[in-house]
Amino acid sequence: MNFENFILPHIWNLKPYSSARDEFKGKEGVFLDANENPLGSGVDENWNRYPDPLQLAIKEQLASLKSCSIDQIFLGNGSDEAIDLIMRMTCQTGIHNIILCPPTYGMYEVSANINHIEQRKVSLTKEYQLDVEGILQTIDKNTRLLFLCSPNNPTGNKLNRSDIYKLIESFHSGFVLIDEAYIDFSDEPSFILELEKFPQVIVMQTLSKAYGLASLRLGMAFAHPTIISLLNKIKPPYNIGGATQEIVHKALANTTFKDKAVQLILSERSRLINNLQIIPEVLHIYPSDANFLLVHFARANELFHYLIEAKLITRNRSTVALCEDSIRITIGISEENDKLVQLINQFYKA
Ligand SMILES: Cc1ncc(COP(=O)(O)O)c(C=O)c1O
């Protein structure tokens, strides 16, 4: 596969910034190379030294957890950084376009708007699946990115794998981005395992959900080593802070928390579904492969505001096309889910 055809020439040919920590990688010695403060930081731990620009300690752990190699991993300041960099390296304003399949994660559109890139929208079907024929008709020679989100936000469902295969095999002018932010809550295998077979696929995952590290901002992109080296070339040199690297390293050394959290969230998801489906005004609970439910309610808007008054915050998706009168509910701990059900019952009985 000739990646050069999909990458903007100025990025392909870019000479990247070479940081002090790129040029000398050892840990021992007297460091007078990076204009750091030699005295420390004035807090309990010292953060006065620049962090590893390529975050190799974390990538070693991830390579083993995700069954891939270190040179197939890019780490970003949240998935949003990876989304932005991928757009910047592939799309030129006024020439290239990307395909989005709404309703889906809103940052694809915002990031494309920031980068001034044409978006072509091909809505999901009523079953929240891909309109494969519609997508294939919309793609042209200047389509550089096709965004697929599975399990999808805000609908919660996974996309049919056979449709994804068909699109990967039929799209030849750019990359298929598969956002797997919620994959840990699904029984679906990750496309990371298929990167060798499909070099035009970029998989995105995040530590913000199942790993419970949203505040640290650690997003991951998995792709062919050529793509990863381009992303590393255009990212800010020290995009993942030292404190984040240290805490993530600890979290990945023991994934018991994540495994237990996923188990608990999945059992709470089933319990919440059972408790919601007996309420007559709950019109539909969409199937979920994620840590949230999209629920179609009678008088959804009013219910949403009633819940806010009671200090229970959900996400109103009622104005989103194909999600009319629906609220997205993150699965909480059992007390929180019970409170939600109690408030919904109160609202409809009032
Ligand atoms: C589908 C999807 N991708 C990515 C993200 C963002 O992930 P991060 O916290 O790593 O930026 C979200 C956050 O809600 C999401 O729903």
Side-chain angles (χ1 to χ4, degrees), residues 9-115:
H10 72 284
I11 299 291
W12 186 265
N13 297 317
L14 182 82
K15 184 172 182 298
Y17 176 72
S18 177
S19 70
R21 289 293 166 272
D22 285 321
E23 287 177 15
F24 184 86
K25 294 197 191 298
K27 290 220 164 71
E28 299 292 315
V30 175
F31 286 91
L32 303 179
D33 60 343
N35 300 346
E36 296 155 337
N37 185 330
L39 301 172
S41 312
V43 287
D44 288 347
E45 277 183 87
N46 282 333
W47 302 107
N48 54 323
R49 301 295 177 187
Y50 283 102
D52 174 5
L54 289 174
Q55 315 97 18
L56 289 177
I58 302 175
K59 285 181 183 167
E60 264 173 36
Q61 294 171 301
L62 284 171
S64 138
L65 286 169
K66 306 285 179 186
S67 306
C68 64
S69 61
I70 288 175
D71 61 4
Q72 288 178 302
I73 309 173
F74 167 80
L75 299 183
N77 184 358
S79 306
D80 299 338
E81 184 175 30
I83 295 169
D84 176 64
L85 291 176
I86 291 164
M87 286 190 186
R88 281 203 271 157
M89 93 184 172
T90 54
C91 295
Q92 185 170 337
T93 304
I95 297 181
H96 300 114
N97 66 76
I98 66 168
I99 310 264
L100 305 180
C101 304
T104 193
Y105 180 46
M107 262 319 278
Y108 313 142
E109 179 169 354
V110 174
S111 199
N113 283 336
I114 293 169
N115 287 297

Side-chain angles (χ1 to χ4, degrees), residues 78-80 105 108 149 153 179 181-182 206 208-209 217-219:
S79 306
D80 299 338
Y105 180 46
Y108 313 142
C149 185
N153 177 12
D179 188 342
Y182 299 97
T206 177
S208 298
K209 312 293 173 186
R217 313 303 304 126
L218 207 288

Side-chain angles (χ1 to χ4, degrees), residues 19-238:
S19 70
R21 289 293 166 272
D22 285 321
E23 287 177 15
F24 184 86
K25 294 197 191 298
K27 290 220 164 71
E28 299 292 315
V30 175
F31 286 91
L32 303 179
D33 60 343
N35 300 346
E36 296 155 337
N37 185 330
L39 301 172
S41 312
V43 287
D44 288 347
E45 277 183 87
N46 282 333
W47 302 107
N48 54 323
R49 301 295 177 187
Y50 283 102
D52 174 5
L54 289 174
Q55 315 97 18
L56 289 177
I58 302 175
K59 285 181 183 167
E60 264 173 36
Q61 294 171 301
L62 284 171
S64 138
L65 286 169
K66 306 285 179 186
S67 306
C68 64
S69 61
I70 288 175
D71 61 4
Q72 288 178 302
I73 309 173
F74 167 80
L75 299 183
N77 184 358
S79 306
D80 299 338
E81 184 175 30
I83 295 169
D84 176 64
L85 291 176
I86 291 164
M87 286 190 186
R88 281 203 271 157
M89 93 184 172
T90 54
C91 295
Q92 185 170 337
T93 304
I95 297 181
H96 300 114
N97 66 76
I98 66 168
I99 310 264
L100 305 180
C101 304
T104 193
Y105 180 46
M107 262 319 278
Y108 313 142
E109 179 169 354
V110 174
S111 199
N113 283 336
I114 293 169
N115 287 297
H116 207 197
I117 299 166
E118 182 198 346
Q119 300 139 51
R120 299 184 176 183
K121 295 181 183 166
V122 184
S123 292
L124 296 177
T125 64
K126 282 205 288 295
E127 294 74 35
Y128 295 149
Q129 288 299 331
L130 294 165
D131 171 4
V132 175
E133 285 316 309
I135 293 172
L136 291 177
Q137 278 164 23
T138 307
I139 286 171
D140 67 13
K141 67 179 186 343
N142 289 320
T143 303
R144 282 276 164 97
L145 299 173
L146 166 60
F147 279 83
L148 306 178
C149 185
S150 184
N152 187 40
N153 177 12
T155 60
N157 62 298
K158 62 185 172 192
L159 302 176
N160 291 334
R161 211 170 176 90
S162 56
D163 291 345
I164 300 181
Y165 285 134
K166 184 156 185 211
L167 288 169
I168 295 172
E169 277 155 10
S170 319
F171 174 42
H172 303 296
S173 63
F175 297 102
V176 179
L177 254 102
I178 307 179
D179 188 342
E180 296 183 339
Y182 299 97
I183 192 85
D184 296 299
F185 303 102
S186 169
D187 51 13
E188 195 72 2
S190 168
F191 270 89
I192 294 173
L193 305 173
E194 309 217 37
L195 286 176
E196 306 279 343
K197 201 156 77 191
F198 301 124
Q200 71 276 43
V201 166
I202 303 175
V203 176
M204 289 189 307
Q205 292 191 4
T206 177
L207 298 187
S208 298
K209 312 293 173 186
Y211 285 85
L213 299 170
S215 179
L216 294 185
R217 313 303 304 126
L218 207 288
M220 303 166 272
F222 301 86
H224 188 281
T226 304
I227 300 309
I228 298 302
S229 66
L230 286 163
L231 287 170
N232 284 332
K233 196 162 84 154
I234 64 173
K235 78 181 178 68
Y238 302 111

